Every structure is written in C-alpha cells, then in structure tokens.
mmCIF file of all heavy atoms in Angstrom:
data_model
loop_
_atom_site.group_PDB
_atom_site.id
_atom_site.type_symbol
_atom_site.label_atom_id
_atom_site.label_comp_id
_atom_site.label_asym_id
_atom_site.label_seq_id
_atom_site.Cartn_x
_atom_site.Cartn_y
_atom_site.Cartn_z
ATOM 1 N N LYS A 1 -42.346 -83.922 160.988
ATOM 2 C CA LYS A 1 -41.076 -83.300 160.625
ATOM 3 C C LYS A 1 -41.259 -82.366 159.427
ATOM 4 O O LYS A 1 -42.224 -82.474 158.676
ATOM 5 C CB LYS A 1 -40.037 -84.369 160.294
ATOM 6 C CG LYS A 1 -39.639 -85.234 161.473
ATOM 7 C CD LYS A 1 -38.486 -86.145 161.120
ATOM 8 C CE LYS A 1 -38.030 -86.960 162.318
ATOM 9 N NZ LYS A 1 -36.880 -87.841 161.986
ATOM 10 N N GLU A 2 -40.315 -81.459 159.272
ATOM 11 C CA GLU A 2 -40.339 -80.548 158.135
ATOM 12 C C GLU A 2 -39.889 -81.277 156.861
ATOM 13 O O GLU A 2 -39.174 -82.275 156.921
ATOM 14 C CB GLU A 2 -39.411 -79.363 158.392
ATOM 15 C CG GLU A 2 -39.877 -78.438 159.495
ATOM 16 C CD GLU A 2 -39.018 -77.196 159.612
ATOM 17 O OE1 GLU A 2 -38.005 -77.100 158.907
ATOM 18 O OE2 GLU A 2 -39.359 -76.314 160.421
ATOM 19 N N ARG A 3 -40.331 -80.733 155.725
ATOM 20 C CA ARG A 3 -39.894 -81.281 154.454
ATOM 21 C C ARG A 3 -38.394 -81.029 154.283
ATOM 22 O O ARG A 3 -37.916 -79.914 154.532
ATOM 23 C CB ARG A 3 -40.680 -80.645 153.317
ATOM 24 C CG ARG A 3 -40.493 -81.306 151.968
ATOM 25 C CD ARG A 3 -41.495 -80.805 150.954
ATOM 26 N NE ARG A 3 -42.876 -81.114 151.348
ATOM 27 C CZ ARG A 3 -43.915 -80.943 150.554
ATOM 28 N NH1 ARG A 3 -43.745 -80.456 149.322
ATOM 29 N NH2 ARG A 3 -45.129 -81.234 150.977
ATOM 30 N N GLU A 4 -37.665 -82.053 153.866
ATOM 31 C CA GLU A 4 -36.224 -81.905 153.714
ATOM 32 C C GLU A 4 -35.775 -82.327 152.320
ATOM 33 O O GLU A 4 -36.372 -83.213 151.702
ATOM 34 C CB GLU A 4 -35.473 -82.744 154.758
ATOM 35 C CG GLU A 4 -35.655 -84.238 154.617
ATOM 36 C CD GLU A 4 -34.723 -85.046 155.515
ATOM 37 O OE1 GLU A 4 -33.738 -84.501 156.010
ATOM 38 O OE2 GLU A 4 -34.985 -86.256 155.666
ATOM 39 N N GLY A 5 -34.728 -81.690 151.854
ATOM 40 C CA GLY A 5 -34.171 -82.043 150.562
ATOM 41 C C GLY A 5 -33.383 -83.344 150.660
ATOM 42 O O GLY A 5 -32.533 -83.491 151.528
ATOM 43 N N VAL A 6 -33.680 -84.266 149.781
ATOM 44 C CA VAL A 6 -32.974 -85.539 149.716
ATOM 45 C C VAL A 6 -31.849 -85.458 148.692
ATOM 46 O O VAL A 6 -30.709 -85.790 148.977
ATOM 47 C CB VAL A 6 -33.943 -86.680 149.348
ATOM 48 C CG1 VAL A 6 -33.184 -87.986 149.161
ATOM 49 C CG2 VAL A 6 -35.033 -86.811 150.397
ATOM 50 N N SER A 7 -32.193 -85.001 147.497
ATOM 51 C CA SER A 7 -31.208 -84.914 146.432
ATOM 52 C C SER A 7 -31.709 -83.979 145.354
ATOM 53 O O SER A 7 -32.908 -83.928 145.078
ATOM 54 C CB SER A 7 -30.946 -86.304 145.839
ATOM 55 O OG SER A 7 -29.947 -86.240 144.840
ATOM 56 N N CYS A 8 -30.786 -83.258 144.738
ATOM 57 C CA CYS A 8 -31.126 -82.341 143.662
ATOM 58 C C CYS A 8 -30.108 -82.484 142.527
ATOM 59 O O CYS A 8 -28.985 -82.947 142.751
ATOM 60 C CB CYS A 8 -31.154 -80.902 144.155
ATOM 61 S SG CYS A 8 -32.410 -80.601 145.419
ATOM 62 N N ILE A 9 -30.515 -82.079 141.340
ATOM 63 C CA ILE A 9 -29.664 -82.260 140.170
ATOM 64 C C ILE A 9 -29.835 -81.078 139.226
ATOM 65 O O ILE A 9 -30.917 -80.507 139.103
ATOM 66 C CB ILE A 9 -30.005 -83.596 139.472
ATOM 67 C CG1 ILE A 9 -28.998 -83.943 138.381
ATOM 68 C CG2 ILE A 9 -31.427 -83.580 138.922
ATOM 69 C CD1 ILE A 9 -29.141 -85.387 137.876
ATOM 70 N N SER A 10 -28.732 -80.723 138.577
ATOM 71 C CA SER A 10 -28.747 -79.584 137.663
ATOM 72 C C SER A 10 -29.470 -79.931 136.363
ATOM 73 O O SER A 10 -29.821 -81.074 136.111
ATOM 74 C CB SER A 10 -27.308 -79.161 137.351
ATOM 75 O OG SER A 10 -26.624 -80.220 136.684
ATOM 76 N N ARG A 11 -29.658 -78.913 135.524
ATOM 77 C CA ARG A 11 -30.370 -79.112 134.265
ATOM 78 C C ARG A 11 -29.649 -80.100 133.361
ATOM 79 O O ARG A 11 -30.286 -80.903 132.668
ATOM 80 C CB ARG A 11 -30.549 -77.770 133.551
ATOM 81 C CG ARG A 11 -31.489 -76.822 134.266
ATOM 82 C CD ARG A 11 -31.544 -75.482 133.593
ATOM 83 N NE ARG A 11 -30.259 -74.796 133.641
ATOM 84 C CZ ARG A 11 -30.026 -73.611 133.091
ATOM 85 N NH1 ARG A 11 -30.990 -72.988 132.446
ATOM 86 N NH2 ARG A 11 -28.854 -73.039 133.187
ATOM 87 N N SER A 12 -28.338 -80.070 133.370
ATOM 88 C CA SER A 12 -27.563 -80.967 132.507
ATOM 89 C C SER A 12 -27.396 -82.347 133.098
ATOM 90 O O SER A 12 -27.074 -83.297 132.391
ATOM 91 C CB SER A 12 -26.175 -80.362 132.258
ATOM 92 O OG SER A 12 -25.431 -80.356 133.465
ATOM 93 N N GLY A 13 -27.578 -82.435 134.417
ATOM 94 C CA GLY A 13 -27.343 -83.702 135.103
ATOM 95 C C GLY A 13 -25.925 -83.866 135.599
ATOM 96 O O GLY A 13 -25.613 -84.859 136.253
ATOM 97 N N ARG A 14 -25.070 -82.893 135.311
ATOM 98 C CA ARG A 14 -23.660 -83.032 135.683
ATOM 99 C C ARG A 14 -23.399 -82.709 137.146
ATOM 100 O O ARG A 14 -22.405 -83.152 137.713
ATOM 101 C CB ARG A 14 -22.801 -82.132 134.790
ATOM 102 C CG ARG A 14 -22.672 -82.641 133.357
ATOM 103 C CD ARG A 14 -21.579 -81.892 132.617
ATOM 104 N NE ARG A 14 -21.925 -80.498 132.394
ATOM 105 C CZ ARG A 14 -22.511 -80.057 131.298
ATOM 106 N NH1 ARG A 14 -22.832 -80.905 130.335
ATOM 107 N NH2 ARG A 14 -22.783 -78.774 131.149
ATOM 108 N N THR A 15 -24.272 -81.940 137.772
ATOM 109 C CA THR A 15 -24.084 -81.551 139.168
ATOM 110 C C THR A 15 -25.208 -82.114 140.014
ATOM 111 O O THR A 15 -26.384 -81.941 139.694
ATOM 112 C CB THR A 15 -24.060 -80.026 139.311
ATOM 113 O OG1 THR A 15 -23.031 -79.495 138.477
ATOM 114 C CG2 THR A 15 -23.794 -79.627 140.760
ATOM 115 N N THR A 16 -24.822 -82.791 141.085
ATOM 116 C CA THR A 16 -25.813 -83.361 141.995
ATOM 117 C C THR A 16 -25.488 -82.976 143.437
ATOM 118 O O THR A 16 -24.365 -82.589 143.754
ATOM 119 C CB THR A 16 -25.853 -84.897 141.892
ATOM 120 O OG1 THR A 16 -24.547 -85.414 142.194
ATOM 121 C CG2 THR A 16 -26.263 -85.345 140.500
ATOM 122 N N ASN A 17 -26.497 -83.081 144.278
ATOM 123 C CA ASN A 17 -26.332 -82.813 145.700
ATOM 124 C C ASN A 17 -27.154 -83.836 146.482
ATOM 125 O O ASN A 17 -28.264 -84.193 146.056
ATOM 126 C CB ASN A 17 -26.816 -81.399 146.034
ATOM 127 C CG ASN A 17 -26.586 -81.052 147.492
ATOM 128 O OD1 ASN A 17 -25.477 -80.739 147.895
ATOM 129 N ND2 ASN A 17 -27.635 -81.116 148.298
ATOM 130 N N TYR A 18 -26.599 -84.315 147.581
ATOM 131 C CA TYR A 18 -27.287 -85.290 148.406
ATOM 132 C C TYR A 18 -27.258 -84.870 149.864
ATOM 133 O O TYR A 18 -26.259 -84.328 150.351
ATOM 134 C CB TYR A 18 -26.623 -86.667 148.286
ATOM 135 C CG TYR A 18 -26.728 -87.290 146.911
ATOM 136 C CD1 TYR A 18 -25.724 -87.105 145.965
ATOM 137 C CD2 TYR A 18 -27.836 -88.054 146.564
ATOM 138 C CE1 TYR A 18 -25.823 -87.660 144.708
ATOM 139 C CE2 TYR A 18 -27.944 -88.622 145.300
ATOM 140 C CZ TYR A 18 -26.941 -88.421 144.381
ATOM 141 O OH TYR A 18 -27.036 -88.974 143.130
ATOM 142 N N ALA A 19 -28.329 -85.159 150.570
ATOM 143 C CA ALA A 19 -28.319 -85.003 152.017
ATOM 144 C C ALA A 19 -27.317 -85.997 152.596
ATOM 145 O O ALA A 19 -27.141 -87.098 152.063
ATOM 146 C CB ALA A 19 -29.715 -85.267 152.582
ATOM 147 N N ASP A 20 -26.672 -85.605 153.674
ATOM 148 C CA ASP A 20 -25.667 -86.480 154.282
ATOM 149 C C ASP A 20 -26.250 -87.842 154.639
ATOM 150 O O ASP A 20 -25.562 -88.861 154.547
ATOM 151 C CB ASP A 20 -25.084 -85.819 155.540
ATOM 152 C CG ASP A 20 -24.169 -84.649 155.212
ATOM 153 O OD1 ASP A 20 -23.708 -84.548 154.054
ATOM 154 O OD2 ASP A 20 -23.928 -83.842 156.119
ATOM 155 N N SER A 21 -27.506 -87.862 155.031
ATOM 156 C CA SER A 21 -28.135 -89.095 155.492
ATOM 157 C C SER A 21 -28.340 -90.124 154.382
ATOM 158 O O SER A 21 -28.576 -91.298 154.666
ATOM 159 C CB SER A 21 -29.487 -88.783 156.144
ATOM 160 O OG SER A 21 -30.337 -88.129 155.217
ATOM 161 N N VAL A 22 -28.257 -89.700 153.112
ATOM 162 C CA VAL A 22 -28.500 -90.636 152.018
ATOM 163 C C VAL A 22 -27.290 -90.816 151.097
ATOM 164 O O VAL A 22 -27.342 -91.622 150.160
ATOM 165 C CB VAL A 22 -29.721 -90.207 151.167
ATOM 166 C CG1 VAL A 22 -30.942 -89.986 152.058
ATOM 167 C CG2 VAL A 22 -29.427 -88.965 150.347
ATOM 168 N N LYS A 23 -26.212 -90.094 151.352
ATOM 169 C CA LYS A 23 -25.026 -90.199 150.496
ATOM 170 C C LYS A 23 -24.517 -91.640 150.458
ATOM 171 O O LYS A 23 -24.428 -92.306 151.475
ATOM 172 C CB LYS A 23 -23.922 -89.275 151.013
ATOM 173 C CG LYS A 23 -24.095 -87.821 150.627
ATOM 174 C CD LYS A 23 -22.950 -86.968 151.156
ATOM 175 C CE LYS A 23 -23.152 -85.505 150.789
ATOM 176 N NZ LYS A 23 -22.094 -84.639 151.361
ATOM 177 N N GLY A 24 -24.209 -92.094 149.251
ATOM 178 C CA GLY A 24 -23.713 -93.449 149.088
ATOM 179 C C GLY A 24 -24.802 -94.495 148.974
ATOM 180 O O GLY A 24 -24.520 -95.653 148.634
ATOM 181 N N ARG A 25 -26.055 -94.103 149.246
ATOM 182 C CA ARG A 25 -27.164 -95.058 149.175
ATOM 183 C C ARG A 25 -28.177 -94.681 148.085
ATOM 184 O O ARG A 25 -28.783 -95.560 147.470
ATOM 185 C CB ARG A 25 -27.888 -95.118 150.518
ATOM 186 C CG ARG A 25 -27.009 -95.554 151.668
ATOM 187 C CD ARG A 25 -27.837 -95.810 152.932
ATOM 188 N NE ARG A 25 -28.506 -94.604 153.423
ATOM 189 C CZ ARG A 25 -29.824 -94.490 153.585
ATOM 190 N NH1 ARG A 25 -30.619 -95.512 153.286
ATOM 191 N NH2 ARG A 25 -30.353 -93.367 154.045
#
C-alpha cells in the first residue's frame, strides 16, 4: 500500500488532523 497520513499537528499544537480510520482512537 501507499504511505498514508495518520495524523498531523501544527507548530503550536493547537491544530490537529486525523485520518478518518483513526479518529477517536
């Protein structure tokens, strides 16, 4: 499989992003 983004975070830590498959976990 291709490399996929799991989660990312801003420099301050205030903004985050999660792949749908891992949200809440």
Side-chain angles (χ1 to χ4, degrees):
K1 294 187 177 181
E2 292 187 355
R3 190 169 298 189
E4 65 171 343
V6 175
S7 182
C8 297
I9 189 168
S10 63
R11 292 175 296 178
S12 68
R14 287 193 292 267
T15 303
T16 58
N17 183 78
Y18 294 93
D20 288 342
S21 59
V22 307
K23 280 181 181 177
R25 300 189 297 122

